[in-house]
Amino acid sequence: MHAKSHLRETDEAALFSPRFLKRLTIGIAALATLTIAISLGGRTLGEHIALAGHTESREMHEILIGQDRLRLPANAIRFEEQRHSGRTDRVDLYLTWPEMEGYSNANRLRFNDVGRPESLVFVQLSQSTMSRDMSGRVDPIFSHLLQGEPETGPGGLTLRRLKQDSGYADEVLLLGDLPGSATYAVRCVLPEAGQPSTGADCQRDIHIGDDLSLLYRFSSRLLPQWQEMEHAIRNFAQTALADPPPWAKAADKNRTNRTTNDSS
């Protein structure tokens, strides 16, 4: 009996030896550290997933396209890889309508809800590749592609259908009058009755700055507000435009001189 009691005490002493207790303490500490890391990592990952590529940062980026300089907030720039200052060929934006603001936590549902396409306007800024914007192309180009009689469109616009072999078979051209006798023109793919609209049913491009083309896309649900949208887009662009720095003008002038010398 004494031998068994002694053996049990020896086993218990071995079980709770300093070496064992040290390992147990280290194991508990490691488990606690892992739990905290998983919690923090999960929170960070959750926030990243929730942002889904958006940013709330209002840091202003100075972007140079050709000789036009733009100052744009990061949260209005659509793609993460474009959120930096410097020279580029193009920048894509998304803005709430009618506020014309970038992404924020307060309006995140408007950026993520595909069922509300009228909540956003998409803008693309790039160097002009055509001498005329969409309004300027109505008489020399689009007028030769029209068929059928004019129809009444949304918001007092005139709807014109395009020829099947024009390359715009699924689109219609909507025309209106802008102040100063200018023509408003927008191309749209109008959804069939009962079909949902998208955030880019309609598109229009205008010239701004020295040599910029601004293309904006929006839901056909917003066509009744075409005048307000045109005004808001132009105001936004005018606010974003800034004079290019002297070094940019000098660099462009040097490039032009080199091109001229090479061709002569």
Side-chain angles (χ1 to χ4, degrees):
M1 187 71 176
H2 179 73
K4 289 182 178 180
S5 177
H6 177 72
L7 181 60
R8 185 168 59 251
E9 290 175 358
T10 302
D11 291 342
E12 289 175 353
L15 181 62
F16 294 103
S17 66
R19 185 179 180 184
F20 172 79
L21 291 175
K22 182 178 180 180
R23 289 182 176 179
L24 181 63
T25 302
I26 293 173
I28 293 173
L31 183 61
T33 302
L34 180 61
T35 301
I36 293 171
I38 291 173
S39 176
L40 293 175
R43 187 180 308 165
T44 302
L45 180 60
E47 291 173 353
H48 182 73
I49 292 173
L51 283 172
H54 308 306
T55 181
E56 289 192 273
S57 172
R58 295 180 182 272
E59 178 187 1
M60 298 300 291
H61 292 302
E62 292 202 0
I63 297 170
L64 199 65
I65 302 176
Q67 292 194 28
D68 290 284
R69 183 172 60 164
L70 300 153
R71 297 187 74 251
L72 298 166
N75 67 336
I77 300 175
R78 187 178 177 188
F79 302 118
E80 185 175 1
E81 63 271 18
Q82 294 180 346
R83 295 176 192 144
H84 60 82
S85 296
R87 185 179 290 278
T88 187
D89 296 325
R90 149 184 161 181
V91 63
D92 296 273
L93 312 175
Y94 50 2
L95 303 161
T96 57
W97 176 257
E99 301 88 353
M100 301 295 285
E101 295 177 352
Y103 178 86
S104 70
N105 186 57
N107 62 29
R108 66 186 184 279
L109 293 180
R110 298 170 68 179
F111 281 80
N112 296 324
D113 186 357
V114 295
R116 298 174 60 189
E118 70 279 9
S119 294
L120 299 178
V121 177
F122 298 92
V123 176
Q124 182 185 105
L125 290 155
S126 60
Q127 197 163 7
S128 298
T129 57
M130 292 181 285
S131 59
R132 300 172 185 265
D133 62 12
M134 188 170 290
S135 292
R137 298 195 299 274
V138 172
D139 287 338
I141 297 176
F142 288 118
S143 63
H144 302 288
L145 306 176
L146 303 176
Q147 67 176 3
E149 296 300 317
E151 303 174 36
T152 301
L157 292 169
T158 299
L159 185 151
R160 299 302 310 268
R161 301 195 180 275
L162 298 162
K163 295 177 180 178
Q164 290 296 313
D165 59 355
S166 66
Y168 304 102
D170 296 328
E171 301 181 36
V172 296
L173 185 68
L174 293 150
L175 304 171
D177 294 324
L178 289 169
S181 301
T183 299
Y184 173 87
V186 60
R187 286 167 33 211
C188 296
V189 179
L190 299 178
E192 298 290 337
Q195 294 298 313
S197 169
T198 71
D201 293 336
C202 298
Q203 70 173 42
R204 168 169 166 77
D205 62 84
I206 60 175
H207 282 172
I208 62 168
D210 287 337
D211 191 28
L212 279 181
S213 175
L214 185 155
L215 171 70
Y216 67 97
R217 297 183 177 92
F218 58 95
S219 167
S220 56
R221 294 181 188 177
L222 295 175
L223 280 171
Q225 302 176 56
W226 66 271
Q227 290 171 303
E228 294 90 336
M229 183 174 296
E230 179 78 2
H231 181 71
I233 288 286
R234 289 185 179 274
N235 277 352
F236 177 86
Q238 194 61 43
T239 301
L241 280 167
D243 290 333
W247 61 263
K249 289 185 176 180
D252 284 332
K253 183 177 180 180
N254 289 337
R255 269 197 302 273
T256 301
N257 290 338
R258 285 198 300 271
T259 302
T260 302
N261 293 335
D262 291 342
S263 59
S264 59

